[in-house]
Amino acid sequence: MAASCWGLPQLLCEFPSLPNKSLRVMRKGIDEGFRDIVRTYSDAIDAATAPLQIFLNMLEDAFTKAPWLLVLVLLVAVVWFGSRSWKTVVGTVIAMLLIGVFGLWTDTMTTLAMVTVATFVAILIGLPLGILMARSDRFQSFLSPLLDVMQTLPSFVYLIPVVVIFGIGKVPGLIAVVIYAVPPMIRLTNLGIRLVDRDVIEAADAYGASPRQKLWGVQLPLSLPTIMTGVNQTIMMSLSMVVVASMVGVGGLGKNVLQAITNQYFTVGFLNGFALVAIAIIFDRTSQAFGNRIQKHQGAGHD
Protein backbone atom coordinates (compact mmCIF):
# COMPACT_ATOMS: atom_id res chain seq x y z
CA MET A 1 0.00 0.00 0.00
CA ALA A 2 1.37 3.40 -0.90
CA ALA A 3 2.52 5.75 1.86
CA SER A 4 0.38 8.80 2.61
CA CYS A 5 0.29 11.52 5.29
CA TRP A 6 3.20 11.44 7.77
CA GLY A 7 4.45 8.37 5.96
CA LEU A 8 1.55 6.27 7.21
CA PRO A 9 -0.55 3.89 5.08
CA GLN A 10 -3.66 5.33 3.42
CA LEU A 11 -5.89 3.18 5.63
CA LEU A 12 -4.63 5.01 8.71
CA CYS A 13 -4.94 8.47 7.15
CA GLU A 14 -8.51 8.25 5.83
CA PHE A 15 -11.18 6.65 7.98
CA PRO A 16 -12.76 3.72 6.11
CA SER A 17 -16.41 4.51 5.42
CA LEU A 18 -19.26 2.76 3.68
CA PRO A 19 -19.44 3.22 -0.09
CA ASN A 20 -21.46 6.23 -1.21
CA LYS A 21 -23.96 3.99 -2.97
CA SER A 22 -24.62 2.03 0.23
CA LEU A 23 -25.06 5.26 2.20
CA ARG A 24 -27.54 6.61 -0.37
CA VAL A 25 -29.58 3.40 -0.30
CA MET A 26 -29.63 3.40 3.50
CA ARG A 27 -30.65 7.06 3.79
CA LYS A 28 -33.31 6.68 1.09
CA GLY A 29 -34.81 3.65 2.82
CA ILE A 30 -34.98 5.41 6.19
CA ASP A 31 -36.45 8.62 4.74
CA GLU A 32 -39.08 6.81 2.68
CA GLY A 33 -40.05 4.59 5.60
CA PHE A 34 -40.42 7.65 7.82
CA ARG A 35 -42.60 9.41 5.25
CA ASP A 36 -44.79 6.32 4.83
CA ILE A 37 -45.41 6.20 8.57
CA VAL A 38 -46.33 9.89 8.62
CA ARG A 39 -48.73 9.48 5.68
CA THR A 40 -50.36 6.48 7.32
CA TYR A 41 -51.00 8.24 10.63
CA SER A 42 -51.51 11.77 9.33
CA ASP A 43 -55.15 11.90 10.47
CA ALA A 44 -54.22 10.79 13.98
CA ILE A 45 -51.39 13.33 14.10
CA ASP A 46 -53.73 16.14 13.04
CA ALA A 47 -56.30 15.10 15.64
CA ALA A 48 -53.66 14.99 18.37
CA THR A 49 -52.36 18.48 17.58
CA ALA A 50 -55.80 20.08 17.08
CA PRO A 51 -56.19 21.12 20.77
CA LEU A 52 -52.82 22.87 20.65
CA GLN A 53 -53.86 24.71 17.49
CA ILE A 54 -57.15 25.83 19.06
CA PHE A 55 -55.50 26.91 22.32
CA LEU A 56 -52.77 28.85 20.52
CA ASN A 57 -55.23 30.56 18.16
CA MET A 58 -57.53 31.55 21.04
CA LEU A 59 -54.71 33.03 23.09
CA GLU A 60 -53.19 34.82 20.10
CA ASP A 61 -56.57 36.33 19.19
CA ALA A 62 -57.06 37.42 22.79
CA PHE A 63 -53.67 39.12 22.90
CA THR A 64 -53.75 40.75 19.48
CA LYS A 65 -57.40 41.82 19.29
CA ALA A 66 -57.85 43.08 22.84
CA PRO A 67 -57.33 46.83 23.47
CA TRP A 68 -53.65 47.48 24.01
CA LEU A 69 -54.30 49.36 27.25
CA LEU A 70 -56.15 46.37 28.72
CA VAL A 71 -53.30 44.02 27.77
CA LEU A 72 -50.76 46.42 29.26
CA VAL A 73 -52.72 46.69 32.53
CA LEU A 74 -52.98 42.89 32.80
CA LEU A 75 -49.27 42.47 32.06
CA VAL A 76 -48.35 45.07 34.67
CA ALA A 77 -50.62 43.32 37.20
CA VAL A 78 -48.88 40.00 36.56
CA VAL A 79 -45.44 41.63 36.86
CA TRP A 80 -46.42 43.34 40.13
CA PHE A 81 -47.88 40.14 41.57
CA GLY A 82 -44.70 38.22 40.72
CA SER A 83 -42.01 40.77 41.52
CA ARG A 84 -43.59 43.27 43.97
CA SER A 85 -41.03 45.71 42.57
CA TRP A 86 -41.95 49.16 41.30
CA LYS A 87 -38.71 49.29 39.32
CA THR A 88 -39.69 46.18 37.39
CA VAL A 89 -43.20 47.53 36.85
CA VAL A 90 -41.94 50.88 35.57
CA GLY A 91 -39.42 49.15 33.32
CA THR A 92 -42.20 46.94 31.96
CA VAL A 93 -44.41 49.93 31.16
CA ILE A 94 -41.58 51.81 29.43
CA ALA A 95 -40.50 48.77 27.40
CA MET A 96 -44.05 47.94 26.26
CA LEU A 97 -44.78 51.56 25.32
CA LEU A 98 -41.58 51.67 23.24
CA ILE A 99 -42.58 48.40 21.57
CA GLY A 100 -45.93 49.94 20.66
CA VAL A 101 -44.40 53.21 19.45
CA PHE A 102 -42.14 51.36 17.01
CA GLY A 103 -45.08 49.40 15.57
CA LEU A 104 -44.16 46.02 17.08
CA TRP A 105 -47.16 45.58 19.38
CA THR A 106 -49.04 42.96 17.34
CA ASP A 107 -45.92 40.89 16.60
CA THR A 108 -44.96 41.07 20.27
CA MET A 109 -48.40 39.83 21.30
CA THR A 110 -48.08 36.93 18.84
CA THR A 111 -44.72 36.02 20.35
CA LEU A 112 -46.13 36.34 23.88
CA ALA A 113 -48.95 33.94 22.98
CA MET A 114 -46.47 31.42 21.57
CA VAL A 115 -44.16 31.63 24.60
CA THR A 116 -47.09 31.42 27.03
CA VAL A 117 -48.51 28.28 25.42
CA ALA A 118 -45.04 26.70 25.05
CA THR A 119 -44.25 27.37 28.71
CA PHE A 120 -47.63 26.02 29.82
CA VAL A 121 -47.17 22.81 27.80
CA ALA A 122 -43.56 22.44 28.98
CA ILE A 123 -44.70 22.69 32.60
CA LEU A 124 -47.47 20.13 32.03
CA ILE A 125 -44.90 17.73 30.57
CA GLY A 126 -41.87 18.60 32.67
CA LEU A 127 -43.41 18.61 36.16
CA PRO A 128 -44.73 15.00 36.11
CA LEU A 129 -41.55 13.70 34.44
CA GLY A 130 -39.40 15.53 37.00
CA ILE A 131 -41.44 13.99 39.83
CA LEU A 132 -41.02 10.53 38.31
CA MET A 133 -37.25 11.10 37.99
CA ALA A 134 -37.06 12.13 41.65
CA ARG A 135 -38.96 9.03 42.78
CA SER A 136 -37.17 6.48 40.61
CA ASP A 137 -33.40 6.22 40.13
CA ARG A 138 -33.99 3.78 37.28
CA PHE A 139 -36.22 6.24 35.44
CA GLN A 140 -33.66 8.99 36.06
CA SER A 141 -30.87 6.87 34.54
CA PHE A 142 -33.11 6.24 31.51
CA LEU A 143 -34.26 9.81 30.97
CA SER A 144 -31.03 11.68 31.73
CA PRO A 145 -29.27 10.69 28.46
CA LEU A 146 -32.35 11.76 26.48
CA LEU A 147 -32.32 15.14 28.22
CA ASP A 148 -28.60 15.46 27.48
CA VAL A 149 -29.33 14.91 23.78
CA MET A 150 -32.23 17.38 23.83
CA GLN A 151 -30.07 20.07 25.42
CA THR A 152 -26.98 19.59 23.25
CA LEU A 153 -28.62 18.96 19.88
CA PRO A 154 -28.48 22.11 17.71
CA SER A 155 -31.82 23.89 17.75
CA PHE A 156 -32.11 23.83 13.94
CA VAL A 157 -32.02 20.02 14.01
CA TYR A 158 -35.30 19.93 15.96
CA LEU A 159 -37.06 21.42 12.97
CA ILE A 160 -36.28 18.51 10.62
CA PRO A 161 -38.38 15.75 12.24
CA VAL A 162 -41.02 18.28 13.34
CA VAL A 163 -41.54 19.52 9.78
CA VAL A 164 -41.55 15.99 8.36
CA ILE A 165 -44.19 14.83 10.87
CA PHE A 166 -46.34 17.93 11.35
CA GLY A 167 -45.64 20.05 8.27
CA ILE A 168 -45.31 23.84 8.23
CA GLY A 169 -47.26 26.05 10.60
CA LYS A 170 -47.57 27.42 14.12
CA VAL A 171 -48.16 24.10 15.86
CA PRO A 172 -44.97 22.47 14.46
CA GLY A 173 -43.06 25.54 15.61
CA LEU A 174 -44.71 25.30 19.03
CA ILE A 175 -43.75 21.63 19.33
CA ALA A 176 -40.13 22.43 18.43
CA VAL A 177 -40.08 25.19 21.07
CA VAL A 178 -41.49 22.83 23.73
CA ILE A 179 -38.93 20.10 22.93
CA TYR A 180 -36.13 22.64 23.22
CA ALA A 181 -37.43 24.29 26.40
CA VAL A 182 -38.72 21.36 28.50
CA PRO A 183 -35.40 19.80 29.75
CA PRO A 184 -34.69 22.50 32.39
CA MET A 185 -38.19 22.04 33.79
CA ILE A 186 -37.67 18.29 34.13
CA ARG A 187 -34.16 18.53 35.56
CA LEU A 188 -34.87 21.26 38.11
CA THR A 189 -38.10 19.62 39.30
CA ASN A 190 -36.11 16.43 39.88
CA LEU A 191 -33.31 18.36 41.60
CA GLY A 192 -35.66 20.37 43.81
CA ILE A 193 -37.46 17.28 45.12
CA ARG A 194 -34.21 15.40 45.72
CA LEU A 195 -32.77 18.36 47.67
CA VAL A 196 -35.61 18.36 50.21
CA ASP A 197 -34.12 17.80 53.66
CA ARG A 198 -34.21 14.11 54.56
CA ASP A 199 -35.10 14.97 58.17
CA VAL A 200 -38.30 16.62 56.94
CA ILE A 201 -39.18 13.50 54.93
CA GLU A 202 -38.53 11.32 57.98
CA ALA A 203 -40.74 13.57 60.10
CA ALA A 204 -43.55 13.21 57.55
CA ASP A 205 -43.08 9.42 57.63
CA ALA A 206 -43.25 9.51 61.42
CA TYR A 207 -46.62 11.26 61.23
CA GLY A 208 -47.88 8.52 58.90
CA ALA A 209 -48.03 10.59 55.70
CA SER A 210 -48.73 8.63 52.52
CA PRO A 211 -46.43 9.03 49.48
CA ARG A 212 -49.01 11.34 47.87
CA GLN A 213 -49.31 13.45 51.01
CA LYS A 214 -45.52 13.73 51.26
CA LEU A 215 -45.30 14.80 47.63
CA TRP A 216 -48.03 17.47 47.69
CA GLY A 217 -47.65 18.58 51.31
CA VAL A 218 -43.89 18.46 51.81
CA GLN A 219 -41.71 17.85 48.75
CA LEU A 220 -43.34 20.08 46.15
CA PRO A 221 -43.84 23.09 48.47
CA LEU A 222 -40.24 22.92 49.69
CA SER A 223 -38.86 22.45 46.17
CA LEU A 224 -40.97 25.28 44.72
CA PRO A 225 -38.08 27.81 44.52
CA THR A 226 -36.03 25.35 42.44
CA ILE A 227 -39.06 24.52 40.30
CA MET A 228 -39.61 28.25 39.70
CA THR A 229 -36.02 28.44 38.47
CA GLY A 230 -36.95 25.70 36.01
CA VAL A 231 -39.95 27.75 34.88
CA ASN A 232 -37.68 30.76 34.44
CA GLN A 233 -35.22 28.78 32.30
CA THR A 234 -38.08 27.31 30.27
CA ILE A 235 -39.37 30.80 29.46
CA MET A 236 -35.89 32.00 28.47
CA MET A 237 -35.28 29.01 26.21
CA SER A 238 -38.73 29.40 24.64
CA LEU A 239 -37.92 32.99 23.73
CA SER A 240 -34.55 32.01 22.29
CA MET A 241 -36.15 29.26 20.18
CA VAL A 242 -38.90 31.50 18.78
CA VAL A 243 -36.51 33.00 16.21
CA VAL A 244 -35.45 29.56 14.98
CA ALA A 245 -39.04 28.28 14.95
CA SER A 246 -40.00 31.17 12.67
CA MET A 247 -38.40 29.16 9.86
CA VAL A 248 -41.37 26.76 9.94
CA GLY A 249 -44.17 29.32 9.93
CA VAL A 250 -44.22 30.84 13.41
CA GLY A 251 -45.01 34.53 13.14
CA GLY A 252 -44.27 37.34 15.51
CA LEU A 253 -40.92 38.88 16.32
CA GLY A 254 -38.98 35.78 15.27
CA LYS A 255 -40.28 36.06 11.71
CA ASN A 256 -39.18 39.67 11.55
CA VAL A 257 -35.71 38.85 12.85
CA LEU A 258 -35.35 36.07 10.29
CA GLN A 259 -36.40 38.42 7.48
CA ALA A 260 -33.96 41.05 8.73
CA ILE A 261 -31.13 38.51 8.66
CA THR A 262 -32.09 37.33 5.18
CA ASN A 263 -32.37 40.85 3.74
CA GLN A 264 -29.70 42.50 5.90
CA TYR A 265 -32.13 44.98 7.45
CA PHE A 266 -30.09 46.17 10.43
CA THR A 267 -32.71 48.50 11.92
CA VAL A 268 -35.55 45.97 11.65
CA GLY A 269 -33.41 43.27 13.23
CA PHE A 270 -32.27 45.57 16.03
CA LEU A 271 -35.78 46.77 16.91
CA ASN A 272 -37.28 43.27 16.94
CA GLY A 273 -34.28 41.99 18.87
CA PHE A 274 -34.82 44.79 21.39
CA ALA A 275 -38.45 43.69 21.80
CA LEU A 276 -37.38 40.08 22.41
CA VAL A 277 -34.76 41.16 24.94
CA ALA A 278 -37.28 43.41 26.71
CA ILE A 279 -39.77 40.54 27.06
CA ALA A 280 -37.02 38.21 28.25
CA ILE A 281 -35.89 40.67 30.93
CA ILE A 282 -39.47 41.26 32.10
CA PHE A 283 -40.17 37.55 32.48
CA ASP A 284 -36.76 36.86 33.99
CA ARG A 285 -37.01 39.56 36.66
CA THR A 286 -40.60 38.66 37.50
CA SER A 287 -40.10 34.89 37.81
CA GLN A 288 -36.82 35.26 39.71
CA ALA A 289 -38.35 37.71 42.17
CA PHE A 290 -41.34 35.41 42.67
CA GLY A 291 -39.05 32.44 43.35
CA ASN A 292 -36.98 34.49 45.81
CA ARG A 293 -40.11 35.60 47.66
CA ILE A 294 -41.25 31.98 47.97
CA GLN A 295 -37.83 30.98 49.31
CA LYS A 296 -37.82 33.80 51.89
CA HIS A 297 -41.36 32.93 52.93
CA GLN A 298 -40.41 29.28 53.45
CA GLY A 299 -37.26 30.29 55.34
CA ALA A 300 -39.34 32.49 57.66
CA GLY A 301 -41.77 29.62 58.17
CA HIS A 302 -39.00 27.21 59.18
CA ASP A 303 -37.57 29.78 61.61
Side-chain angles (χ1 to χ4, degrees):
M1 182 175 291
S4 183
C5 59
W6 296 349
L8 296 173
Q10 187 72 19
L11 182 63
L12 297 178
C13 291
E14 296 182 5
F15 195 91
S17 60
L18 292 173
N20 289 334
K21 183 178 180 180
S22 299
L23 288 173
R24 285 197 301 269
V25 171
M26 182 181 67
R27 289 196 294 260
K28 184 178 179 181
I30 294 174
D31 291 343
E32 289 181 352
F34 200 70
R35 293 191 190 99
D36 290 340
I37 293 174
V38 172
R39 292 191 192 100
T40 302
Y41 297 100
S42 60
D43 293 339
I45 293 171
D46 292 340
T49 57
L52 280 178
Q53 183 76 61
I54 296 171
F55 185 27
L56 181 58
N57 289 340
M58 287 177 57
L59 196 61
E60 185 176 331
D61 288 342
F63 282 0
T64 57
K65 295 180 180 179
W68 68 268
L69 186 59
L70 175 61
V71 176
L72 181 60
V73 169
L74 291 176
L75 182 60
V76 167
V78 171
V79 171
W80 170 251
F81 172 78
S83 66
R84 299 295 170 87
S85 168
W86 284 111
K87 291 182 179 179
T88 305
V89 169
V90 172
T92 299
V93 172
I94 294 173
M96 297 307 294
L97 289 177
L98 287 174
I99 286 172
V101 166
F102 286 108
L104 300 174
W105 184 268
T106 301
D107 290 330
T108 301
M109 292 301 104
T110 300
T111 299
L112 274 178
M114 172 65 69
V115 172
T116 302
V117 176
T119 303
F120 179 73
V121 174
I123 292 172
L124 286 181
I125 296 173
L127 191 63
L129 289 178
I131 294 172
L132 287 175
M133 282 185 71
R135 302 182 73 146
S136 172
D137 292 335
R138 181 177 296 180
F139 186 70
Q140 178 179 243
S141 63
F142 166 76
L143 193 58
S144 291
L146 296 179
L147 296 177
D148 292 337
V149 172
M150 292 169 68
Q151 288 188 293
T152 56
L153 201 66
S155 55
F156 286 95
V157 178
Y158 286 114
L159 300 179
I160 299 172
V162 167
V163 170
V164 172
I165 297 174
F166 302 103
I168 301 293
K170 293 179 181 179
V171 170
L174 173 65
I175 293 171
V177 172
V178 170
I179 294 173
Y180 184 74
V182 75
M185 189 68 210
I186 299 174
R187 287 189 184 278
L188 288 169
T189 300
N190 172 43
L191 179 64
I193 294 175
R194 287 180 179 271
L195 288 178
V196 173
D197 194 343
R198 191 171 295 275
D199 292 339
V200 178
I201 301 298
E202 291 176 357
D205 290 332
Y207 280 102
S210 65
R212 178 174 295 182
Q213 289 172 329
K214 283 192 296 183
L215 175 65
W216 292 101
V218 178
Q219 292 173 308
L220 284 180
L222 292 179
S223 61
L224 200 55
T226 307
I227 293 174
M228 282 304 303
T229 303
V231 174
N232 172 274
Q233 292 302 305
T234 297
I235 295 171
M236 295 302 103
M237 295 184 73
S238 297
L239 280 167
S240 67
M241 186 64 179
V242 162
V243 178
V244 179
S246 64
M247 297 178 65
V248 296
V250 175
L253 298 171
K255 179 192 68 176
N256 296 341
V257 172
L258 182 64
Q259 290 177 347
I261 294 172
T262 304
N263 299 294
Q264 299 181 0
Y265 294 151
F266 173 78
T267 305
V268 174
F270 176 80
L271 290 176
N272 284 271
F274 160 77
L276 283 170
V277 170
I279 296 171
I281 292 174
I282 291 169
F283 280 126
D284 180 65
R285 296 292 186 272
T286 303
S287 57
Q288 279 193 0
F290 184 65
N292 291 336
R293 283 200 299 114
I294 292 174
Q295 198 164 16
K296 289 179 182 178
H297 176 73
Q298 289 180 348
H302 290 315
D303 294 338

